[in-house]
Amino acid sequence: EAEVAQSPRYKITEKSQAVAFWCDPISGHATLYWYRQILGQGPELLVQFQDESVVDDSQLPKDRFSAERLKGVDSTLKIQPAELGDSAMYLCASSFNWGGNTGELFFGEGSRLTVL
Amino acid sequence: GDSVTQMEGPVTLSEEACLTINCTYTATGYPSLFWYVQYPGEGLQLLLKATKADDKGSNKGFEATYRKETTSFHLEKGSVQVSDSAVYFCAPFSGGYNKLIFGAGTRLAVHP
């Protein structure tokens, strides 16, 4: 069964360091999402890609976060410099758009970030 | 803006008990409604959905009915199992913002 792949599963870093997360969506899925899930809360959308284009990054803290999906397939989310408040689970999801976005997303297992 | 309110957890039940997790939302228009589930150590996965008023979504013994008049989408199961222990997220799809809006999640713990 096709899955969304994410790495690393766990990352511990010190504040002010740089960190990067990678996501490979299900083959053929045009839409890719990065969510942040703080412990005890629901996921919050950081950025949404349609192919290689950003369609929504309104909640992405652009002073320290960046995301790219250069060839419209896999994607990287970067944080530089990391802050204590960035400790969270970073979830990648993808969906197959056909006639518009339907809300049916396939999620990876997530990358848990701990900033010390 | 669009939002969703879920019943606070944790919800602790004995096996074979009945489950209801309340969910209400505010949204522009008539959004599609979803329940996602997150089992321990795993990513979120779609549990069920409903796309229009009075639709009933169902899967794995869980059901939820799209109630337009009360803007609710409560999750129900008649007899829970230990394997249902997970965090459940209600999520309307906001057509105005073109994205899912997740609730805070409700943790369910089922004991033998």
Side-chain angles (χ1 to χ4, degrees):
Chain A
E1 183 177 316
E3 294 181 345
V4 176
Q6 288 190 247
S7 66
R9 286 293 307 277
Y10 304 94
K11 179 69 177 180
I12 300 174
T13 191
E14 294 185 345
K15 64 179 182 179
S16 80
Q17 296 299 303
V19 61
F21 304 108
W22 176 80
C23 172
D24 191 13
I26 293 172
S27 178
H29 280 196
T31 308
L32 185 146
Y33 313 78
W34 283 103
Y35 283 84
R36 177 172 59 188
Q37 185 180 16
I38 296 170
L39 192 64
Q41 299 181 20
E44 175 192 27
L45 181 67
L46 292 176
V47 62
Q48 177 180 346
F49 289 92
Q50 182 69 27
D51 298 312
E52 66 276 8
S53 300
V54 174
V55 297
D56 184 355
D57 63 356
S58 57
Q59 301 303 309
L60 188 71
K62 298 180 187 64
D63 57 334
R64 297 184 301 106
F65 286 65
S66 64
E68 61 183 15
R69 193 184 184 200
L70 293 176
K71 296 183 179 178
V73 182
D74 59 338
S75 175
T76 302
L77 177 70
K78 297 179 181 178
I79 308 173
Q80 182 172 16
E83 296 182 351
L84 296 177
D86 297 331
S87 295
M89 178 76 84
Y90 291 84
L91 298 167
C92 180
S94 67
S95 67
F96 177 66
N97 273 13
W98 196 10
N101 199 334
T102 63
E104 294 188 42
L105 274 57
F106 294 82
F107 283 84
E109 293 184 321
S111 296
R112 181 169 295 284
L113 173 65
T114 302
V115 182
L116 303 175
Chain B
D2 296 5
S3 65
V4 56
T5 301
Q6 274 185 245
M7 175 176 168
E8 284 192 23
V11 174
T12 303
L13 296 173
S14 298
E15 206 166 22
E16 299 184 1
C18 294
L19 168 71
T20 299
I21 300 177
N22 292 334
C23 170
T24 58
Y25 64 90
T26 58
T28 305
Y30 303 108
S32 295
L33 301 174
F34 298 81
W35 278 98
Y36 278 80
V37 59
Q38 188 173 31
Y39 297 103
E42 299 183 14
L44 279 76
Q45 56 186 273
L46 177 63
L47 178 60
L48 53 83
K49 69 174 183 178
T51 58
K52 61 183 186 295
D54 300 324
D55 263 5
K56 178 184 285 187
S58 62
N59 186 25
K60 299 182 179 181
F62 291 88
E63 293 183 337
T65 301
Y66 192 141
R67 302 290 187 195
K68 184 179 69 172
E69 63 277 10
T70 55
T71 62
S72 65
F73 193 52
H74 305 322
L75 182 67
E76 298 176 326
K77 187 173 186 181
S79 176
V80 295
Q81 305 300 312
V82 173
S83 57
D84 294 328
S85 298
V87 182
Y88 293 82
F89 294 92
C90 183
F93 179 70
S94 170
Y97 295 96
N98 198 36
K99 64 184 180 183
L100 282 173
I101 308 292
F102 283 94
T106 302
R107 181 175 299 278
L108 170 66
V110 181
H111 299 289

